[in-house]
Amino acid sequence: DAGVTQSPTHLIKTRGQHVTLRCSPISGHKSVSWYQQVLGQGPQFIFQYYEKEERGRGNFPDRFSARQFPNYSSELNVNALLLGDSALYLCASSPRVAVYNEQFFGPGTRLTVL
Amino acid sequence: AQTVTQSQPEMSVQEAETVTLSCTYDTSESNYYLFWYKQPPSRQMILVIRQEAYKQQNATENRFSVNFQKAAKSFSLKISDSQLGDTAMYFCAFINGDDKIIFGKGTRLHILP
């Protein structure tokens, strides 16, 4: 079975640009969560979507937005990129809404903002 | 603010030895969940073990076990008979009342041949 997939693997952008990251959950998983992992830190929760609705939001500015599609795949959008947005962005899927259930992580997208 | 603290940024042990990774957390909640996640050099994070706070019994998964001390707000991970494949970053994590997961900064574990 395919695991969580994310695209692209790596991305280089300049300050002020916009970026879209994509995530495909494990088949049958309806919950998708997004995390930002800055180098040397643990992941920080950004969003959770379940059944196409936002179920949780972390302490991130409005420049960060996300959505989930009918096939449960998800996009994370970041506007007006800052140098501090450089990080590994992780997507995780789960079959149920409660995040205390096991989450299955993708390999991440490495975003570099110059 | 609810926090998760991992006081050991980096550790090295010989293969086959036992190693314990420390984690403390701060919360006023009485019911919550604690996790250890492993992130190997290939980056894909996987769940190692999960503990529900209302359960007294410490969770175990094969060579991995935890020492959960609720009063002390401590949640350490013990890896027995360590293997080269255990080399990874290990993150302690906590689910708070808002159902948002909080990760510690991680412990980089090296298993030496």
Side-chain angles (χ1 to χ4, degrees):
Chain A
D1 287 342
V4 177
T5 59
Q6 294 186 242
S7 63
T9 305
H10 297 89
L11 204 50
I12 299 175
K13 293 285 189 178
T14 57
R15 281 178 297 175
Q17 285 190 312
H18 162 91
V19 69
T20 298
L21 311 180
R22 294 178 176 84
C23 171
S24 291
I26 291 171
S27 178
H29 286 196
K30 298 180 179 179
S31 171
V32 170
S33 296
W34 287 95
Y35 297 86
Q36 180 195 65
Q37 187 178 13
V38 173
L39 195 62
Q41 303 289 321
Q44 271 198 289
F45 171 73
I46 310 175
F47 286 110
Q48 184 201 7
Y49 275 77
Y50 181 78
E51 288 278 21
K52 302 180 289 296
E53 293 196 1
E54 182 183 302
R55 299 300 298 263
R57 174 185 283 255
N59 295 326
F60 280 81
D62 292 344
R63 299 185 296 108
F64 288 77
S65 64
R67 56 179 175 166
Q68 187 176 34
F69 299 99
N71 66 354
Y72 304 113
S73 67
S74 179
E75 282 183 356
L76 176 69
N77 295 283
V78 187
N79 291 323
L81 285 167
L82 303 174
L83 295 179
D85 295 331
S86 294
L88 181 68
Y89 287 85
L90 296 169
C91 170
S93 77
S94 178
R96 291 174 287 277
V97 63
V99 293
Y100 57 72
N101 294 295
E102 181 176 2
Q103 295 188 79
F104 296 82
F105 283 81
T109 293
R110 172 72 65 190
L111 172 65
T112 302
V113 182
L114 302 176
Chain B
Q2 290 160 325
T3 58
V4 176
T5 302
Q6 294 180 249
S7 59
Q8 305 147 313
E10 197 159 1
M11 300 180 71
S12 296
V13 295
Q14 295 293 137
E15 192 176 7
E17 288 185 348
T18 294
V19 60
T20 299
L21 281 58
S22 301
C23 173
T24 58
Y25 57 94
D26 186 25
T27 183
S28 56
E29 306 278 341
S30 59
N31 194 22
Y32 46 87
Y33 294 81
L34 293 158
F35 307 82
W36 279 98
Y37 274 91
K38 170 185 177 181
Q39 190 175 41
S42 64
R43 299 182 306 178
Q44 204 139 357
M45 189 139 18
I46 55 174
L47 178 67
V48 174
I49 202 163
R50 184 180 85 161
Q51 175 80 42
E52 297 164 64
Y54 64 86
K55 288 189 175 178
Q56 300 276 359
Q57 190 171 6
N58 288 325
T60 62
E61 286 289 340
N62 301 312
R63 297 182 295 108
F64 298 87
S65 62
V66 297
N67 184 3
F68 174 47
Q69 302 287 329
K70 192 171 184 179
K73 297 180 183 175
S74 170
F75 183 62
S76 61
L77 175 70
K78 185 171 85 170
I79 306 174
S80 303
D81 185 27
S82 57
Q83 300 174 0
L84 296 178
D86 296 333
T87 292
M89 281 290 289
Y90 286 82
F91 293 99
C92 178
F94 163 85
I95 297 280
N96 65 9
D98 291 336
D99 227 22
K100 294 182 179 62
I101 190 167
I102 300 170
F103 286 87
K105 290 187 177 181
T107 295
R108 186 177 300 280
L109 177 64
H110 302 274
I111 307 299
L112 307 173

